[in-house]
Amino acid sequence: MKRLDVLEASGTPGEIGTAHGSTFGPQIRRYTADRVELSQAGTTLGRSDVLDIAERMLPAHRAYDEDLYVEMVAMADAAGITPAEAVIVGGYTDFIDTVRALAHGTAFEDTCTAIITPDSLSAGSGFLAQTWDMHASATPHVFMLDVAPLDGPQAMVFTTHGTVGQIGMNEAGIAIGINNLTMTDGAIGVTWPFVVRKVLRQSTFEDALACILEAGLAGGHNFLLLDGDGNGASIEATSTVSHVSVLDGEALIHTNHCLVPSTRDVEADRPEALQVNSVNRLTHADEAVSGRSTISLSFLMDLLRDERSICRRPEPPFDYESSGAVVMRPATGDLWACWGIPSDNEFEHFAVGGVPAP
């Protein structure tokens, strides 16, 4: 069993980015090379062409959050990659939506099964839980970032080498998760890891939601939010449209296909096997949750380990696997995460904001 690597980074944005890049430089360079090459699938674009597209995205990232832009550039400098390469390695699943729109790219990523449970079904304190599924080559790059900026809340962030943040929770009780969506309306814009980290700089649910709805996105994602007061939402968001589903008395569950007409209108066709898999994961999670009066931590861990469809092992031709999983409880400051396939590995506990371990 492999445990999660943890990087503690604090201080200015430049100091945080430098710590990330200098600690994982070789891994970041390997991961970047893979993602730049994969971005060209189905196109006549060369390496310099996709980097040019990423270069055009830099002003949008800087305008969205100057501090995160400084952190990303510092990470890139320390790791020996360019800022444009940092956009691709971090925001690959959004970046390929942009390449699809601009150059008829055919790269796909089919990632994640997520659930938010309301307080009423969770012994008074709701959970946000999900797998993080990706091509199996991504799994070695998963780690935890314990980030403490000078001017914002401390946060624990599940992420990958070269990525500012993917899933996480902060000491103010804001938790965020994600599912990838495959869209036709990709644009020159902001990639999703910047949205995740900007959300984790907030202290209220309203401000966190605004970070998602006001971002000029490059591609499509479903974002899931939950705070310590039980406010929650699932947000399907693309460069042109968004839809918010508010948490009430029932769990919110999402996989990798759009669930509402407005986002389905700009959803790209995907290989049939991927669509079937996403529908099956949604159905299996819904069946597991349906009719339950209580949803516990152990139930959610078991759900993320369910190998009917939710806990994935690589199979040709796509070779996706569950590269890790996270369960977060904002009201208590508890986060549990595992590296790699959840049914093969143990969840580790992390206390956010100095909350003692149970």
Side-chain angles (χ1 to χ4, degrees), residues 268-280:
D269 292 332
R270 300 190 303 152
E272 182 180 1
L274 296 185
Q275 181 69 10
V276 169
N277 182 276
S278 183
V279 171
N280 284 345

Side-chain angles (χ1 to χ4, degrees), residues 167-351:
I167 302 162
M169 185 171 72
N170 71 18
E171 63 182 335
I174 304 293
I176 182 167
I178 44 83
N179 302 123
N180 187 51
L181 299 174
T182 303
M183 312 308 294
T184 62
D185 62 344
I188 300 298
V190 177
T191 55
W192 64 277
F194 261 52
V195 178
V196 168
R197 277 290 304 283
K198 187 165 184 174
V199 163
L200 294 174
R201 289 160 59 87
Q202 310 308 310
S203 299
T204 70
F205 182 85
E206 292 76 17
D207 288 344
L209 181 59
C211 289
I212 299 169
L213 298 179
E214 296 172 3
L217 294 170
H221 260 74
N222 184 70
F223 296 91
L224 301 102
L225 286 178
L226 182 66
D227 75 1
D229 295 322
N231 301 301
S234 174
I235 306 101
E236 293 186 357
T238 83
S239 68
T240 61
V241 64
S242 61
H243 178 87
V244 179
S245 298
V246 177
L247 182 68
D248 51 25
E250 298 183 355
L252 290 174
I253 304 170
H254 207 284
T255 53
N256 300 111
H257 59 284
C258 295
L259 301 180
V260 297
S262 60
T263 50
R264 283 200 296 265
D265 286 345
V266 288
E267 188 172 20
D269 292 332
R270 300 190 303 152
E272 182 180 1
L274 296 185
Q275 181 69 10
V276 169
N277 182 276
S278 183
V279 171
N280 284 345
R281 285 183 281 123
L282 184 69
T283 300
H284 292 164
D286 185 65
E287 289 174 349
V289 169
S290 181
R292 294 188 66 88
S293 59
T294 302
I295 297 176
S296 65
L297 172 64
S298 60
F299 168 83
L300 289 170
M301 289 180 176
D302 288 343
L303 180 66
L304 300 181
R305 290 173 168 139
D306 185 346
E307 294 204 33
R308 285 188 300 169
S309 63
I310 293 171
C311 183
R312 303 169 73 182
R313 295 184 183 274
E315 296 179 359
F318 301 108
D319 290 324
Y320 300 132
E321 74 176 10
S322 295
S323 298
V326 182
V327 182
M328 298 176 284
R329 199 172 203 182
T332 64
D334 294 304
L335 183 152
W336 297 264
C338 75
W339 178 93
I341 295 173
S343 57
D344 292 345
N345 294 284
E346 295 298 325
F347 283 84
E348 301 174 53
H349 176 263
F350 299 90

Side-chain angles (χ1 to χ4, degrees), residues 11 16 44 46 58 62 69 75 123 129 131 165 200 208 231 250 271 318 337:
I16 292 169
T44 60
L58 292 174
R62 186 168 195 164
Y69 181 81
M75 178 277 297
T131 60
L200 294 174
N231 301 301
E250 298 183 355
F318 301 108

